[in-house]
Amino acid sequence: MGDLPALVREARRAASRSGFRHSCDDRVGELLAVLAASVPTDGRVLELGTGVGVGTAWIVHGLAGRPDVEVVTVEVDPQLSAAAGRQPWPAGVRFLVGDAVELLPSLGRFALIFADAQGGKWERLDLTVDALGGGGFLLVDDMTPTAEWDEEQATKQSEVRAALHRHSALVTCETDWASGLVLCVRRR
Ligand SMILES: C[S@@+](CC[C@H](N)C(=O)[O-])C[C@H]1O[C@@H](n2cnc3c(N)ncnc32)[C@H](O)[C@@H]1O
């Protein structure tokens, strides 16, 4: 991996200042940037769980200043969202504060979704899949068990994995690369 993009470095510094330890792995970030670069003209990107903006920064890096793509990122914790929002984001990045489960039905359709919050992943994954347009990518990370996981987390992640693999509208692929990923595309 080369030097980190400036916005990612900024977001990592903000995460460090906030004591936030749940930002995405940089390898996941690189993949997010690749997927963001594939978003079709006038497509939209959704991140569930802004944290302090590291994942958002990777998405923005992949978009490389494209003015046609809207990025929506949802965070339930207003302080985290505010810390993320302090960075110099380009126009077209929207920070929403609220529970992903409550907001999802009103957000519309997306060409790329990074489901990185309990809401929309552990709870009501169906709403997240419904928000994915045909041909759109859904990325779920943190699928490889770690020593820090408690029983609830292990159970929830295993339910998420099973639900994604059996969903008839999705084509899925799983890898233990980085934090463990399930990458899905919605059939057209
Ligand atoms: C793994 S962190 C997100 C990291 C971020 N995507 C990144 O790549 O840097 C998960 C975040 O989801 C937020 N969260 C948890 N439940 C949520 C919900 N129901 N709706 C929205 N955000 C939620 C948490 O507050 C936390 O900041």
Side-chain angles (χ1 to χ4, degrees):
M1 187 160 53
D3 288 344
L4 290 182
L7 202 48
V8 174
R9 281 203 310 273
E10 284 277 331
R12 286 225 166 275
R13 276 197 286 269
S16 170
R17 279 196 301 273
S18 308
F20 184 76
R21 298 190 308 111
H22 304 292
S23 302
C24 69
D25 182 297
D26 285 327
R27 290 168 295 172
V28 175
E30 284 191 312
L31 178 58
L32 270 178
V34 167
L35 295 172
S38 81
V39 167
T41 303
D42 295 328
R44 302 172 71 225
V45 180
L46 174 65
E47 179 184 40
L48 300 177
T50 310
V52 189
V54 173
T56 322
W58 279 112
I59 290 165
V60 166
H61 173 66
L63 291 171
R66 276 178 58 183
D68 60 304
V69 177
E70 180 186 40
V71 178
V72 177
T73 180
V74 177
E75 172 56 55
V76 76
D77 181 329
Q79 287 185 330
L80 290 176
S81 185
R86 274 182 217 117
Q87 288 152 72
W89 300 100
V93 181
R94 274 171 68 203
F95 292 88
L96 301 184
V97 177
D99 184 340
V101 172
E102 285 170 21
L103 292 174
L104 266 164
S106 62
L107 294 180
R109 285 281 170 100
F110 296 87
L112 168 62
I113 301 179
F114 179 34
D116 199 21
Q118 294 181 6
K121 182 173 162 183
W122 289 12
E123 298 144 34
R124 301 302 310 267
L125 181 64
D126 59 310
L127 294 177
T128 302
V129 177
D130 286 350
L132 196 61
F137 287 107
L138 167 62
L139 180 65
V140 177
D141 70 345
D142 298 329
M143 297 305 287
T144 301
T146 73
E148 290 174 10
W149 284 19
D150 59 20
E151 205 178 313
E152 184 195 20
Q153 185 160 8
T155 304
K156 291 288 186 188
Q157 297 294 61
S158 143
E159 287 171 4
V160 168
R161 169 182 288 109
L164 290 172
H165 285 307
R166 73 167 173 259
H167 200 296
S168 59
L170 298 177
V171 182
T172 59
C173 125
E174 183 165 358
T175 168
D176 60 5
W177 185 73
S179 61
L181 308 176
V182 180
L183 178 62
C184 318
V185 67
R186 189 176 180 110
R187 295 179 194 278
R188 291 182 188 277

